[in-house]
Amino acid sequence: MTETTAAPGSPHALKRVIGRWTLLLFVVGDILGAGIYALVGKVAGEVGGALWLPFLVAFTLAALTATAYAELVGKYPRAAGAALYANKAFGLPFVTFIVAFAVLMSGITSASAAALAFGGAYLGEFVTVPVVVGALVFLALVTLVNFAGISESIKVNVVLTVIEAFGLLVIVAIGVYALLRGDGEPARALEFHPETGALLGVLGGTALAFYALLGFEDSVNLAEEAKNPPRDFPRALFGGLAVATVIYMAVAFTATTLVETETLVNSTGPLLEVVRVAGLAFPPKLFALIALLAVGNTALINMLMASRLVYGMAREGIVPRVFAAVHPRRSTPWAAILFTVAVAVVLVATGDVGGLADTTVLLLLCVFAMVNAAVLVLRRDRVEHGHFRAPSWMPALGAAVCLLLALPVTGRGAEVYLRAGLLLGIGAVLWFVNRLFLSGRDGDRSGSERQQSP
């Protein structure tokens, strides 16, 4: 295995320095975040006390798509993820662009959901302000960190990942302590009373729980810096999903055991309710601070990813080049940052946590369906090195499941589809405006060349 992804001596090569355990930690850290801190109550609203069930089903279904990613990363160990696979499989520039733009917009909707979660009950432990106001102030802070530079942002991200993992382990410890003392009502974890019926309730809860498990998609962008992606990435991916799911199910079981379902459903800070009733003393304000930092980490990761995607597209001439502007002192893509935060501000002002999380899930379910299809199409493309190969039925079933969960049968409201459609519509407009601009510029250049020719 070569040390870089480019030819020896290339100044643009990325060093292969990330080992299996580092990959595993990245996958776990990428999954843990705002999803579990903010959505436990929303999932409980779909199924009742057995809110651990949608997380288990979501993990099982996410694992199907993970097999497709594991094969494709091993086969094509390059950053770019779903857009790269769509381009290789179908070779249609617009389809490739829409896939990339869907990933981009899913990052912004995820950050917007995190911002609203930030402005809720967790912030309410310290100051009383309207949720939207708290969310907008929070977005301004994330934007400042993003603008400061990638080095500063990554350092903040590492610290916040450790903090958010600690917060979830606190909840698990509270659950273990409660079981040993005989506190709570474990039987509530078996109560199942969805308002829309058993099947639709599980589908609706699973569609929301998917939001908490979507982070693994970001890990494919480390492919170019992994020491041995064909061998290490599948193990890190499946191991990370398993670890994160165990933590999530333990947290969900603790929450439903110690807190009444109705209280979870109505709270904008559901895990804070667990801390308040816990027999194991833990300062609610300290946990609220941990939750705020965890939610902040989710937003920071997604806004970093979104702004860099816009910048990358602009640099390649895929969207208007104005978004490729870089600040002369901070060396950050300020135009792309302003564009992504402007979209986030509109989403925060017009949406809610559940709706924005559902929009994130909807966009990525469509991307996942495309990835599952791509892995089957690309079986015709052989590579010389060995790599993980998914059993064909798994990505095939994964594609079908993703399409099913993307349907209104899950109880997803019309406003979610409208929001997702409008966001993708922004991308389509940027694409066609840029194509027209480039065509006009090329035409002018050709005309000028004709005039200068003898």
Side-chain angles (χ1 to χ4, degrees):
M1 180 66 66
T2 58
E3 285 297 308
T4 64
T5 59
S10 169
H12 304 295
L14 296 176
K15 294 182 179 179
R16 293 199 178 277
V17 296
I18 301 177
R20 185 186 309 168
W21 291 107
T22 305
L23 272 175
L24 174 65
L25 290 174
F26 182 88
V27 172
V28 172
D30 215 20
I31 296 175
L32 302 182
I36 192 72
Y37 280 94
L39 291 182
V40 166
K42 303 295 183 183
V43 174
E46 296 286 342
V47 297
L51 61 93
W52 54 270
L53 180 59
F55 284 101
L56 178 60
V57 175
F59 162 72
T60 304
L61 300 182
L64 296 174
T65 295
T67 64
Y69 274 104
E71 177 172 338
L72 290 168
V73 169
K75 198 171 183 179
Y76 311 108
R78 293 164 53 192
L84 170 66
Y85 312 141
N87 186 56
K88 281 186 169 294
F90 307 108
L92 300 173
F94 183 70
V95 171
T96 301
F97 169 77
I98 285 296
V99 169
F101 205 80
V103 173
L104 158 67
M105 285 300 172
S106 72
I108 299 178
T109 54
S110 178
S112 302
L116 286 171
F118 184 97
Y122 295 125
L123 183 61
E125 281 291 303
F126 302 96
V127 61
T128 302
V129 295
V131 172
V132 173
V133 173
L136 292 176
V137 171
F138 167 72
L139 277 179
L141 293 175
V142 169
T143 302
L144 288 176
V145 175
N146 195 354
F147 180 74
I150 189 67
S151 176
E152 291 79 359
S153 300
I154 292 299
K155 291 174 184 176
V156 171
N157 169 247
V158 170
V159 174
L160 295 184
T161 296
V162 173
I163 292 173
E164 69 186 9
F166 173 72
L168 295 179
L169 292 178
V170 167
I171 297 296
V172 173
I174 287 173
V176 171
Y177 184 75
L179 286 176
L180 293 176
R181 283 174 49 112
D183 295 339
E185 297 182 27
R188 190 157 48 222
L190 300 177
E191 293 179 359
F192 190 67
H193 45 78
E195 296 181 359
T196 56
L199 179 59
L200 295 182
V202 171
L203 283 176
T206 299
L208 272 175
F210 235 96
Y211 176 78
L213 291 169
L214 292 174
F216 74 85
E217 196 273 341
D218 289 336
S219 64
V220 303
N221 291 308
L222 294 182
E224 290 192 32
E225 295 164 273
K227 290 180 179 178
N228 191 340
R231 183 193 64 188
D232 293 343
F233 186 82
R235 297 175 184 180
L237 178 57
F238 298 129
L241 274 171
V243 170
T245 301
V246 169
I247 294 174
Y248 276 6
M249 289 186 64
V251 169
F253 182 82
T254 298
T256 194
T257 297
L258 297 182
V259 183
E260 292 184 359
T261 303
E262 185 176 352
T263 301
L264 290 175
V265 172
N266 295 325
S267 176
T268 55
L271 296 189
L272 188 58
E273 306 296 339
V274 177
V275 175
R276 285 172 176 159
V277 302
L280 179 62
F282 194 89
K285 285 187 181 296
L286 177 56
F287 185 82
L289 178 61
I290 291 172
L292 289 175
L293 294 174
V295 170
N297 194 34
T298 294
L300 178 60
I301 289 173
N302 282 289
M303 292 304 282
L304 270 171
M305 179 272 292
S307 61
R308 269 58 183 181
L309 264 177
V310 172
Y311 165 75
M313 289 180 181
R315 188 182 59 185
E316 296 299 322
I318 299 172
V319 297
R321 290 188 182 274
V322 64
F323 295 119
V326 175
H327 192 271
R329 288 202 303 268
R330 303 306 307 179
S331 297
T332 47
W334 65 268
I337 291 172
L338 290 180
F339 171 74
T340 53
V341 78
V343 175
V345 167
V346 173
L347 291 173
V348 163
T350 58
D352 56 54
V353 174
L356 291 172
D358 227 347
T359 305
T360 304
V361 171
L362 176 60
L363 290 169
L364 283 184
L365 283 173
C366 295
V367 172
F368 285 177
M370 182 70 72
V371 170
N372 280 303
V375 74
L376 297 175
V377 172
L378 288 171
R379 290 280 169 83
R380 67 194 179 196
D381 183 23
R382 303 300 180 93
V383 294
E384 296 181 358
H385 61 271
H387 59 84
F388 173 85
R389 181 182 171 94
S392 297
W393 66 268
M394 296 187 79
L397 182 58
V401 165
C402 288
L403 292 175
L404 174 63
L405 291 176
L407 295 175
V409 70
T410 58
R412 191 177 287 113
E415 72 280 359
V416 175
Y417 292 94
L418 177 61
R419 184 184 297 115
L422 288 174
L423 292 174
L424 293 181
I426 293 173
V429 169
L430 289 175
W431 165 269
F432 286 111
V433 166
N434 196 56
R435 297 282 288 186
L436 287 173
F437 175 75
L438 288 178
S439 296
R441 188 171 63 183
D442 292 344
D444 291 342
R445 185 185 300 117
S446 298
S448 176
E449 290 172 352
R450 283 194 298 270
Q451 292 175 2
Q452 294 173 7
S453 63

